[in-house]
Each structure stands twice: as structure tokens, then as C-alpha cells.
Amino acid sequence: MSRALRTTYVAVILAFLLAPLGVIAAVSLNGRQTLRFPPQELSLRWYGRLFVESEWLVPLRNSLVIALFASALAVAIALPLALFVWERRGPGIRLLSGLGLAPFALPPVISALGFMIFWMALGGYGQIWATITSHAIFLVTLPLVTISLGLNGIDWSLVEAARVMGAGRRMVLRSVILPLVLPYVVSGYAFAFVLSLNEYIIAYMVAGFTVETLPIKIFNALRYGYTPILAVVSVLFAALSALIFGLVGRFGNL
């Protein structure tokens, strides 16, 4: 395949993938309360309204709080699990590692149903902390994979050299291992944050309408009429995801 043909092929694929986002971005510029394409009476007023209307600010706050804490909890679970698996070998260890990957292997609706039944039995249904915990368990696979990738890339001779010099287990962990895997920890947190911010099924099944996140708000808003704010939220989600993944790709060292 010639270079020109490869370039054309990649350009066509990129255009195909970006076309829906381009349509949504254009729709968000409608001056009237309509989802028309091409847009009419170009305006940015819907971007301003997103940040002044409480019916959108509350879901935005809920989404950010859930994503921030769920990602931190997912990393807090994944880091010791990844370290434990990295330092040991055996069938039981591989099974433990497989359990860490299991949440992402199941269809989200099955996980969501399980979380809903679990929290209803414990009395946590409809609570924001239950949503945070559910997201953390569901997304723990992402930081587990990135952290394990970083640990597997560590030169074991560095650990042995630190131990020969008299460093204890905690000192080796603090001065050698953690600095080397820090980019992978941050990357895992970023991946979990973005997916938690965009997650709908688990948030809806665990919290219902009690804790309304932005994805839930978007689906609810579709019942009562179309507004360009829906497109604005989609554009901001895509821009934030592109920014975070771009930074991970540039500085994550994955």
C-alpha cells in the first residue's frame, strides 16, 4: 500500500469518526431552542446558560464529585492489589488478578443490576456514596491495568540494589517503586475519571433520580424537549476527554 493511499485511508476513517462530533458541535451553536443542522442564527448563549441554570449545575456538580472520588477510590484499591500480584506468583495470585479485571468483563447492565440489588438490601440505594463506591468497583480495572503495566516495566535490579544498600520494604516502595509507577497511577486515575463522568447505566440503577448526574440529566431532558444545551454538554464532554487523554498520551509514558 502506497503512502498516499495509507494517508487517504486514515483521513477517511478520522473523518468518519469525527463527523458526529462535528454535527453536535454545530448544533450547539443554534441561536434558537432547536437541534437543527446546519445551525441557524449562530450563538454561544447556550454555553453560558449551562453554567447559570441550577437544573444543569446540580447534575454537573454531582458528576464531578462522583468522578473525582470514585477514581481516587479505584486507584486506592488497584495500587495495593497490583503491588501484591507483582511481588508474588502462583495460581491463586493469577486468580486474584483476574478478579480485578472481572468488573470490566461483565456487561455494564449486569453489574448495574447487581449493584442496585446490593445497595437496596443494605439501605444505600439512592445515596451518592453508593454511586461513588459502585463506580470505583466497576472502574478499578483501568488503574489496575495501567499500574500493572508500570510495575512490569520496572527493572528488578533497581529494587535489589536498594535492598542491598539497606533500604527496608517501605523505603523501597516509597523511594523506588512509587516514583517509577506514578505516571501509570495518574493515567489510571484519568481513565477512570473520564469513564465515571460519562457513565450512565450504573449511576441510574444505583441512584435513580435521587442523585442526577449529567448523563442522566441528558436522557431526562430528551423527554421534555430538545435544546442545544444537550449538544453543549456533549461537546464539553468530548473536549474534556480529548484533553485528558491527550495529556496522558503526551506525559503518561504508557
Side-chain angles (χ1 to χ4, degrees), residues 70-71 74 103-104 134-143 191-193 195-196:
S71 304
F104 236 52
S134 300
H135 273 199
I137 295 173
F138 179 69
L139 298 173
V140 71
T141 300
L142 298 173
F191 290 143
F193 176 84
L195 290 186
S196 176

Side-chain angles (χ1 to χ4, degrees), residues 187 190-191 194 237-254:
S187 299
F191 290 143
V194 171
F237 268 163
L240 180 62
S241 301
L243 174 63
I244 292 177
F245 290 147
L247 292 175
V248 168
R250 177 64 179 83
F251 303 105
N253 192 31
L254 294 182

Side-chain angles (χ1 to χ4, degrees), residues 79-89 93 151 156 158-179:
L79 181 57
L81 178 59
L83 286 169
F84 185 84
V85 172
W86 177 62
E87 292 177 339
R88 293 165 177 81
R89 296 291 184 271
I93 300 301
L151 289 172
W156 191 255
L158 297 176
V159 178
E160 293 178 342
R163 290 175 177 174
V164 168
M165 297 297 292
R169 181 182 179 85
R170 293 184 179 179
M171 178 62 70
V172 172
L173 177 64
R174 185 172 62 251
S175 61
V176 178
I177 297 176
L178 289 182

